[in-house]
Amino acid sequence: KTDVIKRLRLEADTATHFVVFDACRNTLKVSAPGTKSLVQSKGFEPVKAESGMLVAYATEDGATASDDGNDVGPYAKVLADEIVKPGIEAVTMFRNVQLKVRDSIGQKPWLNFGSLDPV
């Protein structure tokens, strides 16, 4: 996660960035080739908010996100429906996604942003 954020800063340090993580799942740990894998429950792990950046997660701190759905999970589905609506400010759009996902499946998407003005 932090590598993505660092790369965005290097590539376009004066832009406002929107980073979406819909991968708040249990992590798969493999100890060595040919051995059994272990699932370690982690879920969402927040990254530090930076100026000029909004980070959205499919679920809240310490939780895992649902994969239920046809082709995409519920968070991605709602985000895809909301992001194409014209004239809606970004924070409001992400807040609408939060509310719709929470109301439909009880999952609580999370937002992290400070000043959205680029550095």
Side-chain angles (χ1 to χ4, degrees), residues 1-21 50 52-55:
K1 291 180 271 192
T2 56
D3 290 343
V4 170
I5 291 170
K6 286 178 186 174
R7 182 67 182 244
L8 288 171
R9 282 282 177 240
L10 288 173
E11 297 291 325
D13 65 337
T14 61
T16 299
H17 300 283
F18 300 95
V19 180
V20 179
F21 292 106
E50 296 189 27
M53 187 167 295
L54 178 145
V55 183

Side-chain angles (χ1 to χ4, degrees), residues 99-117:
L99 295 170
K100 287 182 179 185
V101 171
R102 184 199 65 198
D103 292 346
S104 67
I105 65 168
Q107 181 173 302
K108 298 175 184 173
W110 188 84
L111 290 176
N112 187 7
F113 61 93
S115 166
L116 291 180
D117 295 327

Side-chain angles (χ1 to χ4, degrees), residues 32-117:
T35 64
K36 290 185 177 181
S37 60
L38 303 172
V39 175
Q40 180 183 15
S41 182
K42 287 190 180 241
F44 157 51
E45 294 181 12
V47 295
K48 182 179 176 274
E50 296 189 27
S51 179
M53 187 167 295
L54 178 145
V55 183
Y57 293 87
T59 193
E60 65 189 320
D61 186 4
T64 54
S66 172
D67 282 333
D68 293 340
N70 297 329
D71 298 323
V72 298
Y75 181 82
K77 171 77 172 106
V78 173
L79 179 61
D81 291 344
E82 293 296 314
I83 205 166
V84 295
K85 293 181 178 176
I88 299 175
E89 191 268 335
V91 174
T92 300
M93 185 275 301
F94 279 104
R95 181 70 178 138
N96 292 341
V97 171
Q98 282 182 304
L99 295 170
K100 287 182 179 185
V101 171
R102 184 199 65 198
D103 292 346
S104 67
I105 65 168
Q107 181 173 302
K108 298 175 184 173
W110 188 84
L111 290 176
N112 187 7
F113 61 93
S115 166
L116 291 180
D117 295 327

